[in-house]
Amino acid sequence: MAFTFGAKTTASTNLFGQNTSTTAFGAKSTGGSLFGGGGTSAFSFGKPTTTTASTGFTGFGSTANSGGLFGNTQNQTQQQQQQSAGQDSMTAVLLNMASALSAPLVFGDDRDAILAKWNQIQAFWGSGKGYYRKDGSNVLFTPENHFCRFKAVGYSCLPKMKDEKGLLAIVLNKKESEIKQYGNDKISQVVHGILDSKPNLSVKVDSIRALPSDKTEITIYVEEQSTATGNVKRVPASELYAFVCQQRIQQKLQQQMAAESCMPRAAIKPEQIKQILESPPSGIDAVVWEQAKIDNPDTDSLIPVPMIGFNELQNRLLHQESMAQQHQSRLAILSEKLHELQEMQVNTQSKIEQYKRQYLQMSHRVLKVVIAQEVCRKAGFAIQPDEEQLRVQLEALFSELNAPTQCRGRLNEMLSQMRMQHHHHTLVSSAHSGQGNGEREGTIDGEALAELKLHLKKQQQGLNTLISLLKEDFDDLKLMEKELVKELSVGDKEIGRFGGRNAYPFAR
């Protein structure tokens, strides 16, 4: 009987379609503790106790009778024996490889020299088997051997996340779309079930991101609530990783979540970095490793890592392409946000200009109201000396502005030049647009045409006024001439009566 996301089924298939006899996402475990398979004693992410209270975050998987995870003398002795056995086997492998590359004894003639060269080629390539005895004894050449030529040293960024954040990355052999369709809550329930469903623990999903080769990385963290004080704090990443590395937990992760690997998202301690740099990785020459440490462009942020074989190179290339795509998507988002901010800036500037115009209009209206109020308040009073001085100054400014060579004249001249330039550009643009010569010669904008009509109208009014003045002057001259003629005729008669022309010599 299995329960997948709350749905009751009768098959023994888990969330990702693998047949197991364990429960799926959200199923309860029969074990009574987080770190043991069962029993009555409860163990939190801390020291073992015989009560159900949580006591801290200092031990994983230890029991009250075992003396702690690293305190068992028998386990230490076994580990030492395993290490010595591993060193002996490594020495034997190196001797066998040297025999296969230099002096194989398979045929007992010149063919052994050819076989040695063939073994050398396979060792350089990092693939194949090298035979060195007649009984068929051979060594397996892998890219990790010291003679493989397809290897290099690259650099990777050092993690900066603190251990107290408690982030643990789990790589799943499933697509991102398949994982996201379940939701963070369901994934948290599955991981909580794998961690023995402790009631004082809660699993949170921090992020889900896609990896190359249709894989997905889930980043989680675990929070523990103290049964004594009720305080909630995160389990450190190192302790959570140490617990997840247990074989039974790894089996559950593989069966229920198709997990491939786990890694803590925490910064490496300086002493660990020093230990890594001091010992060259397997298959990397010490001289190459030392040169890689010297060529490190940023020792504070980067650490040299070996790249052995084509698979590792391809994996690194795929990760770089994936990261480049993420950077491109992030840049696209930033570009879109920047474009929106630019549009908002333009709209804001236009609004500012609009508000400035409204402010000037309101200022003018307020000024008019103040003027009207002042006029009403000063009605019936004589002009004061300061007002008279202000009037004189305003008249001087007005006359200065209206002077032909001052501001108004210059503004009119500039306005005329601008209109002429605008008219010239209009003619040029109309010429480029393919209009006829007759149409281009008669093209003029409406504003200039209205100005021209107004000017001609004023000229006509001036001419009419001048004509009327001339007519009046001619009428006055005619009247004066008529009166003068009358006076002259009367004078001639008087002269003739008193002696003719000699009596008035100036008369005709």
Side-chain angles (χ1 to χ4, degrees), residues 171-174 176 209-217 260:
V171 179
L172 308 180
N173 191 17
K174 293 293 179 181
E176 182 184 12
R209 71 184 186 95
L211 295 179
S213 303
D214 293 334
K215 297 180 182 179
T216 307
E217 181 187 83
E260 289 189 350

Side-chain angles (χ1 to χ4, degrees), residues 66-87:
S66 61
L69 182 62
F70 303 104
N72 196 322
T73 307
Q74 183 178 0
N75 293 336
Q76 293 179 356
T77 305
Q78 292 178 357
Q79 290 178 1
Q80 293 176 359
Q81 292 177 356
Q82 291 176 359
Q83 290 177 0
S84 61
Q87 293 177 357

Side-chain angles (χ1 to χ4, degrees), residues 111-166:
R111 289 178 292 179
D112 289 338
I114 299 174
L115 181 60
K117 293 182 179 180
W118 172 246
N119 291 339
Q120 293 175 8
I121 293 175
Q122 292 186 100
F124 293 160
W125 183 264
S127 177
K129 294 181 180 181
Y131 293 91
Y132 58 92
R133 288 181 184 175
K134 292 183 179 180
D135 57 358
S137 300
N138 60 79
V139 292
L140 181 64
F141 295 114
T142 62
E144 285 77 13
N145 74 83
H146 291 276
F147 302 97
C148 181
R149 298 296 181 88
F150 300 104
K151 61 180 66 175
V153 179
Y155 299 94
S156 295
C157 293
L158 288 170
K160 300 295 184 180
M161 193 67 64
K162 294 183 179 179
D163 188 39
E164 291 77 12
K165 294 292 183 180

